Amino acid sequence: MLGWSMQKQRLVHGWTGKQVAEAGSANADDLAVMSQIFYLQKDCKNSAVWADKAISAARKAGEAPKENLFQFKLQCASDAGDNTAMAAVLMDLIKLTNKTNYWNTLLRIERQDERDDHNLLMIYRVMYDTDSMNAGSDYMEMAQLLGDAALPGEAASVLDKAMNSGKFTEQKDKDRAARLLNSLKPRAETDKKGEAAFDAEAAKNSAGELDIKSGEVYFGSGDYQNAVTAITRGIEKKGIKHLDEAYVYLGRAQVALKNTAEAKKAFNGLKSVPSMSPRVLKLWELYSDKLGS
């Protein structure tokens, strides 16, 4: 609970929020109390108004806004079933705290209406990379999508992580995951054995599509430096079917190599992709913005 300043005492003794604000001496904490009062009275409209005033005052004072102000707005949006408002508040909370539970909730909202497998896999990649994936079913679906996208090495590593961290609690889920993993591993091993030859062939090709594929295969096997080399070469050649994936894998590889500045530069390239999903773009921009924080 916030400490009681003179302004808060005035509130208790009958001052209205309007009078406090007009007095000109209300600070961010005073305004936050007004938001909390309205929130406890289940007056979400006024709670949000005063939360925004408190947030603005905190920023003007060079301070970080209180997390609970956004939580008031989030709960009100949730109670109203307003997913759009929830997503907007969750993005603010992630910018403020970068907590995985906020990432998880945001990504679940963003994926629920997504019907395109390409974009759905992109959302799962953000969930995986922010360590906000906490359900075994999510790992399973991501691995299946990666397998369908001819990326068995990455799919196998996703399932390995899920199984090693105990994400599958029911025996039937463990068995299903084991079967999928057993089907992926031979394909992943074949890709790994042929990496060098495939990369050499890609380097000779005038189009960049094979280079990107080579980089994705390298990424799946954990060879991030060669992934960067191949994908960078492919982007320079042009002629790429899914340029968004090229920039995403380049950025992810740079993150794995701890090259934060280069990772941010790669993710920034997504803005230039004409067919980029606005939903997916804003998620990667948010992820990029929080790198190194």
Side-chain angles (χ1 to χ4, degrees):
M1 177 65 70
L2 296 170
W4 288 97
S5 68
M6 181 62 70
Q7 291 292 342
K8 299 186 188 74
Q9 293 176 41
R10 287 173 176 170
L11 286 173
V12 171
H13 287 91
W15 278 47
T16 66
K18 185 170 184 247
Q19 287 172 317
V20 171
E22 287 177 349
S25 56
N27 60 29
D29 283 353
D30 299 323
L31 300 170
V33 167
M34 287 302 304
S35 177
Q36 185 175 26
I37 288 171
F38 281 116
Y39 175 76
L40 293 173
Q41 293 173 347
K42 301 189 184 302
D43 184 346
C44 282
K45 181 178 179 180
N46 278 309
S47 178
V49 168
W50 287 98
D52 287 340
K53 289 178 184 291
I55 291 166
S56 178
R59 287 173 174 161
K60 188 175 180 180
E63 303 169 354
K66 302 294 185 184
E67 185 177 351
N68 66 342
L69 293 169
F70 297 100
Q71 290 173 334
F72 297 157
K73 297 173 70 175
L74 180 62
Q75 188 60 57
C76 284
S78 177
D79 291 344
D82 188 343
N83 283 347
T84 301
M86 284 185 68
V89 178
L90 284 163
M91 291 189 80
D92 285 336
L93 278 164
I94 289 167
K95 290 174 184 176
L96 181 68
T97 70
N98 203 28
K99 290 182 178 179
T100 56
N101 60 309
Y102 295 137
W103 270 112
N104 181 276
T105 305
L106 172 64
L107 293 166
R108 289 187 181 284
I109 289 172
E110 294 293 356
R111 80 172 188 190
Q112 66 184 11
D113 295 323
E114 185 57 68
R115 297 293 177 264
D116 182 272
D117 282 352
H118 175 80
N119 292 333
L120 182 59
L121 182 50
M122 279 291 201
I123 293 171
Y124 272 124
R125 288 181 179 116
V126 180
M127 186 179 279
Y128 186 84
D129 289 358
T130 55
D131 292 322
S132 58
M133 188 178 287
N134 55 22
S137 57
D138 293 334
Y139 285 91
M140 181 70 76
E141 184 169 14
M142 182 178 182
Q144 289 175 324
L145 289 168
L146 285 167
D148 292 343
L151 296 169
E154 187 180 355
S157 67
V158 166
L159 269 187
D160 268 332
K161 180 177 179 178
M163 296 177 77
N164 292 335
S165 57
K167 298 300 182 184
F168 301 109
T169 56
E170 299 291 331
Q171 190 59 47
K172 61 182 179 60
D173 295 327
K174 292 179 182 178
D175 293 342
R176 183 183 171 203
R179 287 195 298 271
L180 179 57
L181 186 59
N182 288 336
S183 71
L184 288 167
K185 281 188 172 179
R187 293 168 56 194
E189 289 170 3
T190 298
D191 279 356
K192 186 172 179 60
K193 288 177 182 177
E195 275 178 345
F198 183 80
D199 190 56
E201 180 186 348
K204 296 175 185 176
N205 197 292
S206 59
E209 187 67 25
L210 291 181
D211 297 289
I212 304 306
K213 180 62 180 177
S214 177
E216 291 173 351
V217 171
Y218 276 129
F219 182 92
S221 65
D223 188 343
Y224 303 117
Q225 188 56 63
N226 273 326
V228 167
T229 300
I231 295 171
T232 301
R233 187 177 66 220
I235 291 174
E236 290 172 351
K237 289 182 183 178
K238 315 293 185 184
I240 300 167
K241 184 178 179 182
H242 290 297
L243 188 57
D244 55 343
E245 289 191 343
Y247 282 123
V248 163
Y249 273 100
L250 179 58
R252 296 177 78 202
Q254 295 286 20
V255 169
L257 293 169
K258 303 188 185 307
N259 297 330
T260 302
E262 289 301 314
K264 286 177 176 284
K265 187 186 298 183
F267 290 126
N268 190 56
L270 292 169
K271 296 176 183 177
S272 66
V273 181
S275 59
M276 186 75 188
S277 159
R279 171 185 288 149
V280 172
L281 176 59
K282 72 179 181 180
L283 292 174
W284 282 114
E285 285 180 331
L286 183 59
Y287 173 75
S288 178
D289 182 60
K290 300 310 295 180
L291 283 177
S293 63

